[in-house]
Amino acid sequence: MYLKSFSRTLARIGTRALVMASPLLLAGCDLNFWRMDGHQSTIDVAGPVARSQRDLFYITCDVTFVIFIIVASVLAYATFKFRARTEADAHAEPPPQGHGNPLVEIGLIAGSVFALVIIAIPTLKAIWYTYDVPEAEKANAYEVTATASQWWFKFEYPKEQINGVGPLTTGNELVIPAGRPVRIQLRTADVIHSFWVPKLAGKVDMIPNRGNAIWMEADQPGYFWGQCAEYCGDSHAVMRFRVIALNEKDFAAWLSAQKEPARVVAAVAAGSPQAKAQFASYKINEYGFTPKWDPGASVTPLENWQQQQFPNKDENPALIAQGRKLFQEKTCIGCHTVRGHEGVGITGPNLTHVGARTTIAAGLLENTPDQLARWLRHPNQVKPGNKMYNGGYIDPKTGKANFTLTEEDITALVAYLSSLK
Ligand code: CUA
């Protein structure tokens, strides 16, 4: 028992030392790195699937560490015992060379097989466990479909049908119930992508014409980072997403808010009584959390997401109405759906409730007015090769601009998109 925990500790230290060596040389000493609890840590896990994978990693570390200690000890012993002690030793003929001891060799083979078996049993168990939701929990599992495109993720909720529209659809932020298994059907609209939320589960590829699936579960409500893990073109490295796990009540509230059509803001004067009444009419009471209404407050990523569900107190209704018009005129509607408004396109992410997401541009930028403006101003600098720029802004055949946005246009579009809670 003592030996086991000792070897495990040493194995962890050894693994950390190895992982640390390269970045340390490049980046100097960052003490936070020792905790290995970054956003995409596979060590600091938050659900049963990722936990089983991490534990398997440790078992493998333990076994290899024991082998390392045995081999290194024998090597050190032999080096010390048979070293050249005198000048004469150094120049002497080597002793007669043999083929070794059959007993030792058979013992080594048996030892290796034993070590492999120790690793193989938990490996097979983990493969079976992570393959699909355990039988006993199947009835409780929640189903979602994730479809990858160059370079963003679409999430559909087949159980949440909207009359005359189809399943509830969102983009780049997958909201799931916490403490409940979630089975995610993995699809792709173009090339091979890979779906990875390091703290919740290992990666599974999204392959054309093949129906893969992954399951995961978050122990607690939380905010998790995910990313495409298979090279898929120019902007693969910035193809990210988020997973937000909510308790049962908040998840139900989120679903009902998402099933609503896009929020309509009438073009009344900012700060007027009509504007205040309009703002107050937004349903905010269904969630188990209340907004802090303070953009400067220090909050956790989950609290930040919660805050994002509510409209901005200082929003300008006239500007929002202008943005909605521009969204139509500048042909944004051809690629993006805004359910209840003019947008009907399906090439790009569904933007019906984009203002309630914490990120834009597939999890790359924070969803703040500044970053949204940056994205609209120079999409190709943020995400090279994207379709909004090549084909939206610029006609790929002629190289000429389909449309341009002035700074005024951008301000209005930002106000409109941010209002879509
Ligand atoms: Cu999608 Cu890499």
Side-chain angles (χ1 to χ4, degrees):
M1 197 59 214
Y2 175 75
L3 186 70
K4 195 183 169 196
S5 72
F6 177 70
S7 77
R8 182 159 290 201
T9 309
L10 280 179
R12 284 173 197 183
I13 291 170
T15 313
R16 280 169 202 212
L18 273 179
V19 177
M20 279 193 66
S22 46
L24 258 189
L25 290 174
L26 294 169
C29 190
D30 177 2
L31 285 178
N32 284 335
F33 196 85
W34 283 95
R35 296 206 301 265
M36 295 190 91
D37 62 351
H39 293 328
Q40 303 203 157
S41 173
T42 52
I43 302 292
D44 181 34
V45 294
V49 176
R51 193 171 299 114
S52 85
Q53 290 161 334
R54 182 203 56 188
D55 292 348
L56 180 61
F57 168 71
Y58 279 149
I59 290 169
T60 313
C61 279
D62 290 351
V63 171
T64 45
F65 185 72
V66 169
I67 293 172
F68 170 75
I69 291 292
I70 294 171
V71 172
S73 310
V74 172
L75 180 67
Y77 171 78
T79 309
F80 182 76
K81 178 147 169 113
F82 300 109
R83 73 191 188 282
R85 284 159 216 257
T86 62
E87 193 59 22
D89 281 353
H91 295 102
E93 283 294 311
Q97 304 293 300
H99 283 285
N101 181 328
L103 221 63
V104 170
E105 293 196 357
I106 290 170
L108 284 177
I109 293 170
S112 309
V113 170
F114 181 64
L116 285 177
V117 169
I118 292 180
I119 295 175
I121 292 171
T123 302
L124 289 172
K125 266 171 77 179
I127 289 174
W128 268 301
Y129 178 70
T130 56
Y131 182 72
D132 201 358
V133 181
E135 210 52 49
E137 290 184 74
K138 273 214 168 112
N140 189 30
Y142 195 81
E143 289 271 349
V144 186
T145 304
T147 307
S149 298
Q150 286 170 318
W151 292 277
W152 61 282
F153 292 92
K154 175 170 78 176
F155 299 116
E156 286 168 309
Y157 293 72
K159 280 195 192 129
E160 312 298 333
Q161 293 290 331
I162 300 165
N163 274 345
V165 177
L168 170 63
T169 304
T170 70
N172 301 317
E173 292 197 0
L174 171 63
V175 178
I176 58 169
R180 202 172 150 187
V182 179
R183 192 201 281 111
I184 306 167
Q185 299 295 337
L186 302 176
R187 305 288 182 265
T188 171
D190 38 49
V191 300
I192 301 178
H193 302 265
S194 182
F195 192 83
W196 191 27
V197 192
K199 288 200 175 196
L200 297 182
K203 52 188 93 152
V204 173
D205 279 3
M206 309 162 103
I207 299 174
N209 299 318
R210 189 188 157 95
N212 278 354
I214 189 174
W215 81 276
M216 57 182 64
E217 183 178 328
D219 297 330
Q220 306 279 337
Y223 186 91
F224 305 99
W225 276 252
Q227 115 147 60
C228 176
E230 175 75 38
Y231 179 72
C232 55
D234 289 1
S235 284
H236 153 72
V238 291
M239 183 174 174
R240 303 174 190 176
F241 62 101
R242 301 286 191 276
V243 175
I244 295 98
L246 299 177
N247 65 37
E248 213 178 313
K249 180 175 187 287
D250 290 344
F251 183 63
W254 178 83
L255 284 176
S256 84
Q258 292 285 311
K259 281 155 94 172
E260 293 286 320
R263 182 168 165 248
V264 177
V265 177
V268 294
S272 65
Q274 295 97 315
K276 282 183 184 133
Q278 179 164 262
F279 180 80
S281 72
Y282 187 72
K283 293 178 295 178
I284 59 169
N285 306 323
E286 289 169 3
Y287 288 104
F289 43 81
T290 43
K292 292 201 169 100
W293 303 123
D294 177 9
S298 124
V299 288
T300 64
L302 181 62
E303 286 169 338
N304 182 44
W305 180 89
Q306 291 169 342
Q307 202 107 293
Q308 195 77 16
Q309 304 313 301
F310 305 108
N312 179 358
K313 257 187 162 167
D314 306 320
E315 65 184 13
N316 180 342
L319 201 59
I320 292 170
Q322 191 194 332
R324 179 172 169 183
K325 229 172 109 227
L326 279 167
F327 194 78
Q328 206 174 345
E329 287 170 8
K330 299 289 179 181
T331 68
C332 314
I333 54 169
C335 290
H336 295 284
T337 295
V338 180
R339 191 162 29 86
H341 291 189
E342 296 74 21
V344 292
I346 54 165
T347 308
N350 185 310
L351 300 181
T352 307
H353 298 285
V354 66
R357 295 176 202 153
T358 48
T359 60
I360 48 166
L364 181 60
L365 303 177
E366 297 290 312
N367 190 4
T368 61
D370 286 351
Q371 297 292 328
L372 194 47
R374 180 182 161 202
W375 173 231
L376 293 174
R377 202 176 288 130
H378 298 300
N380 215 38
Q381 285 177 11
V382 174
K383 193 178 273 187
N386 77 82
K387 288 189 182 124
M388 182 159 82
Y389 184 73
N390 298 308
Y393 288 41
I394 301 294
D395 185 330
K397 289 201 186 87
T398 61
K400 293 208 176 95
N402 282 325
F403 65 83
T404 48
L405 297 177
T406 64
E407 279 303 307
E408 274 175 6
D409 294 342
I410 289 174
T411 310
L413 281 167
V414 166
Y416 170 60
L417 293 170
S418 303
S419 79
L420 297 174
K421 295 293 181 180

